[in-house]
Amino acid sequence: MNKEGEVVPTIGVVTFRAEQVLLVRHGTKAGHIQDTVGIPSGRIELDDNRQPKESPKEASARELREETGYEVDEVNLAEFEGNHFLADIPRSDGSIVKMSWNVFLASQITGEMKEGDDETSPLWYPVNDINDLNLLPNVASVIINAQKFINSQR
């Protein structure tokens, strides 16, 4: 449980396949509002003293695996310009939580996509159609910024 006004540290992973981006739709058991869509993301696990138990890259790899079934090696996670955000995020219980969000670009993932459940359902979605979705705050900006970074590396 977070204290009121506390900023919750979170991470995310953005990855692309052809002209598609990997997203997750939030279900009835998710902390996010049902049917909102985002990239694989989550909180950095903290110990009893509220200190991180894992690095941001370790947390990113864990969240990608938990939410989608895909695996990523930390060496394939990169930061990019425009990958950090601070936002008030509405939750399914009616609360609003201030979250910092540090997103990594996964250049290579392995494994197979898992089946969706009542919490999250992963999906590959055409990048050009993302504005048709009920996106969580800053998701469209992350996708645009990650694509700019990829294009600058060519």
Side-chain angles (χ1 to χ4, degrees):
M1 192 78 181
N2 5 309
K3 299 174 185 171
E4 189 170 332
E6 176 184 27
V7 177
V8 177
T10 66
I11 50 73
V13 178
V14 63
T15 192
F16 300 93
R17 171 178 83 182
E19 298 299 317
Q20 298 178 316
V21 61
L22 181 60
L23 300 173
V24 291
R25 184 178 308 278
H26 299 279
T28 56
K29 293 190 178 178
H32 288 295
I33 295 172
Q34 184 177 348
D35 290 328
T36 55
V37 178
I39 60 172
S41 300
R43 297 174 189 223
I44 296 174
E45 292 185 356
L46 303 176
D47 64 19
D48 293 339
N49 296 318
R50 314 278 310 144
Q51 297 301 309
K53 291 177 15 180
E54 58 190 347
S55 73
K57 285 187 175 183
E58 288 170 331
S60 297
R62 176 183 51 77
E63 286 293 340
L64 181 69
R65 182 178 55 256
E66 290 175 359
E67 293 190 1
T68 70
Y70 290 114
E71 302 276 345
V72 65
D73 289 328
E74 290 180 40
V75 296
N76 293 320
L77 291 170
E79 295 199 56
F80 54 94
E81 188 174 337
N83 75 321
H84 189 81
F85 296 87
L86 186 63
D88 292 328
I89 306 295
R91 306 296 286 168
S92 60
D93 64 4
S95 66
I96 296 178
V97 177
K98 185 172 287 297
M99 294 184 178
S100 67
W101 194 37
N102 192 28
V103 180
F104 293 91
L105 172 64
S107 58
Q108 181 178 347
I109 59 174
T110 59
E112 294 185 21
M113 189 162 61
K114 73 171 194 158
E115 292 289 320
D117 56 29
D118 290 343
E119 188 171 353
T120 57
S121 297
L123 64 147
W124 288 100
Y125 203 80
V127 172
N128 291 335
D129 297 336
I130 60 168
N131 291 324
D132 297 341
L133 299 171
N134 184 17
L135 295 174
L136 288 167
N138 300 313
V139 171
S141 295
V142 161
I143 293 168
I144 291 166
N145 294 346
Q147 286 185 307
K148 284 180 185 175
F149 175 76
I150 291 168
N151 291 335
S152 75
Q153 301 299 301
R154 292 184 178 162

